[in-house]
Structures are given as structure tokens and as C-alpha cells.
Amino acid sequence: MIEPGKDKRRGVAPAKAAFDPNGPVGRKLKSFYDVIETEPVPDRLLDLLEKLDEAERRAERGS
């Protein structure tokens, strides 16, 4: 008899296997992240972050 929540073909709980960082989904996500991590931050985003920092500094001085 198959335990409740177990995959009949593999004997592994499908939800647990999907979130296993060493499983196929986890390895694929890590490979995507590794590629994205090496890309430069766009200038537009850096400018936006600088504006946010400046707005926070002005708000702190005004408080």
C-alpha cells in the first residue's frame, strides 16, 4: 500500500521533492540565479536607488 501523499512511481512526497534544494528544480533555479547574479546592475536602477537614499536622508533631517 502507498502511503498518503507519496508518489506511486517514486515513493517520494511530490511537494517535498519540489522544494528540495538539491533536487532537479533546485539545481535549475540555482543555475538561473548564478547567471543573473553575474550581470551588472542597470544604471537606471542605480539612479533610482540613489534618489531613494536622498529622499530618506531628507526625511530624516526633517523629522
Side-chain angles (χ1 to χ4, degrees), residues 5 11 20 25 27 52-53:
D20 178 7
V25 173
R27 286 191 303 272
L52 178 59
D53 286 342

Side-chain angles (χ1 to χ4, degrees), residues 17-63:
F19 293 107
D20 178 7
N22 298 314
V25 173
R27 286 191 303 272
K28 192 69 168 178
L29 286 172
K30 181 168 181 0
S31 72
F32 287 141
Y33 179 78
D34 288 344
V35 170
I36 291 170
E37 185 180 39
T38 61
E39 292 181 5
V41 177
D43 289 338
R44 186 173 176 196
L45 179 57
L46 293 173
D47 292 341
L48 186 59
L49 291 171
E50 183 57 39
K51 288 178 183 178
L52 178 59
D53 286 342
E54 180 60 32
E56 288 177 343
R57 287 190 289 269
R58 278 185 273 147
E60 287 175 359
R61 280 185 252 137
S63 297

Side-chain angles (χ1 to χ4, degrees), residues 2-27:
I2 302 291
E3 293 180 41
K6 295 279 185 175
D7 185 310
K8 293 178 185 178
R9 295 166 291 167
R10 297 185 192 117
V12 176
K16 184 177 180 184
F19 293 107
D20 178 7
N22 298 314
V25 173
R27 286 191 303 272

